[in-house]
Amino acid sequence: MTTTRQAIDVGADATAWIDAHLIELREILATEGVLRLRGLGGAVREFDTITETVTGAAPLEYHGGATPRTRIDRNVYSSTDFPSEYAIDLHSEMAYSRTWPLYLAFCCAKPPRSGGATPLASTVEIAERIPVALAERLRLFGIRYRRAFHPLLGTDWRSAYGVNDEAELVDCAARRGEDVRIDGDVVTSSWTLPAYRDCEGGIESWFNQMVAFNVRTLPSGVREDLLDVVGEDGIPKNTLLGDGSPFPESDIGAVRDAVDATSTAVPWEAGDLTIVDNRRFAHGRQPYTGSREVRVCMTGEGSWA
């Protein structure tokens, strides 16, 4: 099972303490893939700058993401605007994109009344637990991601792609290696990427959003309503095997079992900062009650190329 060391208390002057211990903090992140700090206090407002310093990587804007987020300041966003009563399956941030962040930093300004922990799981440990038959199909075909953009339903394609008209959309999709179809007001796109990422020493890691992106993981009432209105091909986001065949419930369940067997929940206190190597750890969110203010920033850019 994934384990993370206890959060390190940064003391009264968080910024000065971090500067004084920077080499040690970078070593922990490089060795373990997760760094947890506690007691940032007023330095919560500067956590993006702290993250840049610790990771040594440039900040990223959140472009083209499939998760609803609110921009708070500069490159700081709400961790997610997904309704609090639902869990978010563990996933690798933006693994459905050809480029993705190397690091994620989550900072808690206000913890929830209950729940709301962030589960983490080693992507290598998950890969080791995927059933052999499923792993072989995924290595052969990869994962096909599919998005559908409808007026007044979910994210608008203009904001998702950062474009203003259909010509720009087609050009942007082509550069991303996506197949795009425009049918009146409805835009659909699909593309195929690997399920695994090769690490040093020939080790594979589970680097995808096969489950989090899949229609079967939506709350049953929401899923049924969407299917009634737009049909399976019109679901705002979904995953298929790379050959176009749907994932059966058993495949989704097998991946969830592998994740559950390896994950550890990280609870939140005000002033907590957790920096995660996106290549090495998947993350999710547990349901919660009350108001939860966990912010996120991203640094460094990786790619499938």
Side-chain angles (χ1 to χ4, degrees), residues 277-290:
D277 186 328
N278 188 39
R279 296 158 292 186
R280 296 168 61 184
F281 283 86
H283 67 281
R285 190 204 68 191
Q286 294 181 349
Y288 65 91
T289 62

Side-chain angles (χ1 to χ4, degrees), residues 75-91:
N75 295 309
V76 176
Y77 303 83
S78 59
S79 59
T80 178
D81 296 337
F82 198 66
S84 61
E85 62 266 33
Y86 303 123
I88 298 176
D89 281 278
L90 275 75
H91 57 281

Side-chain angles (χ1 to χ4, degrees), residues 91-135:
H91 57 281
S92 298
E93 186 68 26
M94 295 192 73
Y96 52 78
S97 175
R98 295 189 183 275
T99 60
W100 28 263
L102 297 177
Y103 301 99
L104 301 173
F106 299 98
C107 189
C108 181
K110 181 180 179 181
R113 184 166 60 248
S114 65
T118 296
L120 299 175
S122 162
T123 53
V124 170
E125 291 182 18
I126 296 172
E128 292 171 347
R129 291 177 176 269
I130 300 299
V132 172
L134 173 58

